[in-house]
Amino acid sequence: MNKIIHAAVRRDLARFGDALARFPDGSVARATQLHTAWKFFYGELDYHHHGEHEIAWPALESVGVPKATLDQMDAEHARMADALAAADTAFGALAKTPTQASAEAAANAIADLDAVITEHLAHEEAELEPVYRANRSGPEMKAMGRQFAKRNTKDAGSFFAWVLNGATPEEKAALRVDVPAPVIAILPRLFGRRYGKTVAPAWR
Ligand SMILES: [Fe+2]
């Protein structure tokens, strides 16, 4: 699941970079659309990090991941939070003043964010993913999965619509390992309307 979320994060960062580079000067409509997509992305990422801190780190610590490693992850999350806040300000400015200059400033903020995120995701994938995999059938990871599932009931439809939007066949297959196929098929359609209506049009 973590891998699928990481793929969605990387995909959106590339989309933002691309969209800002081609921003039509003066377009209120495009600025509003990108601002909306940004707010969704920001919200999902923030929610994901809090989940990692509250649910994943204690579970990982219980299977032997050193506290120092998890502290390092939290320090990276803090740097990401700063870069996210800076990008949020830039997207707010773009929505208010939809000029090429605002788009350039937002593109710079996205590039800074991308650098921090790329480093962090690679770090998590190198240090934590082998632990998730080695313990996947153990009671600690199963309990962690249940806690995440319970937590994700808040707008789970939009969450699934997000991670599936633009996902490769491999990523979709990987998602099916963790989530039953009927859930993947039904949730985004029934409850992912917010994403489908307000965010997905930005990437068409
Ligand atoms: Fe993380």
Side-chain angles (χ1 to χ4, degrees):
M1 179 61 86
N2 209 45
K3 230 183 171 126
I4 308 299
I5 297 173
H6 286 188
V9 169
R10 288 189 172 105
R11 192 160 55 235
D12 276 4
L13 284 171
R15 284 165 163 175
F16 281 120
D18 186 48
L20 291 165
R22 293 185 292 117
F23 185 78
D25 196 21
S27 174
V28 176
R30 186 59 173 154
T32 305
Q33 201 174 40
L34 290 175
H35 188 232
T36 304
W38 164 260
K39 285 290 184 196
F40 178 84
F41 177 77
Y42 189 10
E44 287 296 328
L45 210 54
D46 196 52
Y47 189 65
H48 174 61
H49 290 153
H50 283 101
E52 286 188 325
H53 179 81
E54 285 152 26
I55 299 173
W57 295 175
L60 289 167
E61 206 177 347
S62 76
V63 295
V65 173
K67 180 82 168 60
T69 302
L70 300 170
D71 286 346
Q72 170 70 27
M73 297 295 167
D74 276 338
E76 291 174 9
H77 280 183
R79 284 176 55 211
M80 282 167 61
D82 290 344
L84 282 163
D88 190 52
T89 303
F91 274 99
L94 177 68
K96 229 173 154 187
T97 317
T99 59
Q100 206 109 48
S102 300
E104 248 167 64
N108 289 336
I110 285 289
D112 291 344
L113 177 64
D114 198 337
V116 181
I117 288 187
T118 299
E119 190 191 335
H120 173 64
L121 296 187
H123 195 189
E124 265 191 17
E125 284 159 10
E127 303 240 7
L128 304 183
E129 254 170 41
V131 184
Y132 286 130
R133 269 200 301 277
N135 293 280
R136 79 171 309 136
S137 45
E140 296 89 354
M141 292 301 112
K142 284 197 169 156
M144 182 189 81
R146 280 194 299 274
Q147 267 179 286
F148 269 118
K150 216 192 276 170
R151 183 176 185 267
N152 276 338
T153 46
K154 174 199 91 101
D155 209 359
S158 281
F159 168 78
F160 281 110
W162 172 52
V163 296
L164 287 168
N165 185 285
T168 63
E170 292 77 27
E171 287 157 11
K172 286 182 183 164
L175 186 64
R176 282 195 289 273
V177 174
D178 285 332
V179 185
V183 175
I184 297 175
I186 290 165
L187 268 183
R189 242 187 293 148
L190 284 187
F191 306 108
R193 281 197 206 105
R194 180 166 78 95
Y195 183 90
K197 260 200 186 141
T198 66
V199 182
W203 309 134
R204 259 174 221 144

